[in-house]
Amino acid sequence: VGVHAVTQSEAGEVVYLNGQLVARSEARIDPEDRGFLFGDGIYEVLEVQAGLPLFAQAHYERLVRSAQAIQLSVPLDKDGFLRTIRELVAANGVEEGLVYLQVTRGVAPRSHAFPQGEVPPTVFAFARSQPPDPSLAQGVAAVVLPDQRWYRVDLKTVNLLPNVLASQEARRRGAYEAILVRDGVVTECSHSNVWMVRGGVVYTHPADTWILHGVTRAVTLQAARQAGIDVREEAFLEVDLWEAQELFLTSTTAGVVPIVRINGRPVGTGVPGPVTGQVSRAYRQAVEAELRRLREES
Ligand SMILES: Cc1ncc(COP(=O)(O)O)c(C=O)c1O
């Protein structure tokens, strides 16, 4: 972070733009940024608890993987990424919240193919306070919608229009999330991964090109397995949803969230189920372990 770094007390919200912390009101992105014109960019969202960004290594690795797949280079190495995020969190005094970081293919005269010559990527990030929503623990409603996205949704790109439309349709119908279905197969949700419990076994779609490889999904998988829960990375069908004993979703900002209604019908008994409870506790323990590790490190 450069010499012009400012803090929140001087300038309100402080954001990171191309190597510097600046007042949000001073942050300017060129209208011919390829992120704006083409959605030609990638992003990450990290959770902050007790002022500490969680699972930053996994988020950095996913960012680099997304970047490589679209032939973009991330102008931050792992240490630079971690430092940037920590400084941004500190500058904004975020205790509970999130960090958003986006990298685009930079500014160039509008033309679909990559710009010729050296164009520096644009890197933008913000950190924001967002206290956890305790009502999520009581379970949320979801609706089932077609998965209208492209074939590489494992890449965390800013091309989110199908996700935006699905999320809006869910909200219009009074639901928190949209469960997406492609060719009869449940993939994931508009901004989270989805899991089903049947016969005491937990199922979630394998981490291939048809879902985003959620960091929370990976942490939850490992934590649930360590807790002795039978978890299988096997796809399930839309028809299975109607018979599911329990459903839940996972995401960075929400954690493990029970789904208690789909398309207006109760899931199982219509209240958060026991397996979801076990998985949720296992996930919270993994978060506690991560917080302990981060505190020891600092
Ligand atoms: C489409 C989609 N799937 C899954 C997730 C969950 O991923 P993570 O646990 O890394 O937040 C997200 C997060 O925003 C998402 O947008």
Side-chain angles (χ1 to χ4, degrees):
V1 174
V3 287
H4 300 295
V6 290
T7 62
Q8 188 188 26
S9 51
E10 297 165 37
E13 189 179 0
V14 174
V15 302
Y16 172 92
L17 185 59
N18 299 328
Q20 297 189 327
L21 292 186
V22 295
R24 189 188 184 293
S25 57
E26 301 294 316
R28 293 283 174 272
I29 298 196
D30 192 289
E32 277 194 296
D33 192 284
R34 292 179 61 92
F36 180 56
L37 294 179
F38 296 113
D40 188 356
I42 55 173
Y43 74 108
E44 277 299 322
V45 179
L46 291 81
E47 193 187 13
V48 178
Q49 282 192 22
L52 298 165
L54 303 182
F55 309 117
Q57 165 100 16
H59 285 284
Y60 182 70
E61 282 167 10
R62 185 171 64 182
L63 183 74
V64 168
R65 180 178 179 276
S66 297
Q68 281 170 350
I70 67 163
Q71 300 164 59
L72 177 67
S73 68
V74 176
L76 288 168
D77 61 14
K78 193 179 82 195
D79 288 344
F81 175 83
L82 289 176
R83 208 171 40 246
T84 299
I85 283 170
R86 289 202 185 120
E87 288 180 3
L88 197 52
V89 166
N92 289 282
V94 175
E95 284 294 313
E96 314 287 313
L98 60 90
V99 174
Y100 175 95
L101 182 141
Q102 171 172 338
V103 185
T104 79
R105 208 180 306 276
V107 179
R110 186 182 182 280
S111 173
H112 285 63
F114 296 173
Q116 280 168 336
E118 287 294 300
V119 172
T122 301
V123 186
F124 167 65
F126 64 81
R128 193 159 287 166
S129 294
Q130 186 175 288
D133 178 355
S135 75
L136 294 178
Q138 275 133 53
V140 297
V143 293
V144 180
L145 292 175
D147 190 338
Q148 295 181 322
R149 300 172 302 162
W150 72 323
Y151 302 103
R152 288 305 306 275
V153 300
D154 56 317
L155 309 177
K156 200 163 171 68
T157 80
V158 294
N159 279 265
L160 291 173
L161 190 53
N163 310 60
V164 166
L165 294 175
S167 186
Q168 175 58 24
E169 176 62 8
R171 182 203 276 172
R172 191 186 69 77
R173 289 166 58 183
Y176 173 83
E177 249 298 20
I179 299 174
L180 305 177
V181 174
R182 199 190 285 264
D183 297 330
V185 175
V186 173
T187 51
E188 57 176 336
C189 296
S190 76
H191 53 89
S192 56
N193 291 108
V194 67
W195 311 60
M196 178 187 72
V197 181
R198 192 174 56 194
V201 179
V202 183
Y203 297 88
T204 198
H205 197 288
D208 55 18
T209 57
W210 300 108
I211 66 161
L212 184 76
H213 304 184
V215 169
T216 319
R217 176 188 176 283
V219 172
T220 301
L221 260 178
Q222 199 191 9
R225 283 182 176 149
Q226 273 168 6
I229 302 165
D230 188 353
V231 190
R232 302 187 194 165
E233 292 180 87
E234 285 173 27
F236 51 94
L237 302 177
E238 179 180 6
V239 291
D240 297 325
L241 288 173
W242 314 115
E243 304 297 324
Q245 286 159 347
E246 301 176 34
L247 293 172
F248 60 92
L249 58 82
T250 55
S251 78
T252 289
T253 46
V256 175
V257 179
I259 299 172
V260 292
R261 296 187 79 77
I262 39 169
N263 289 4
R265 296 201 238 161
V267 176
T269 55
V271 293
V275 179
T276 303
Q278 277 179 294
V279 172
S280 176
R281 281 189 292 280
Y283 173 70
R284 281 206 303 271
Q285 278 166 15
V287 168
E288 288 304 322
E290 168 76 350
L291 283 169
R292 277 197 301 279
R293 193 185 66 75
L294 290 169
R295 284 195 187 106
E296 275 161 24
E297 214 179 63
S298 63

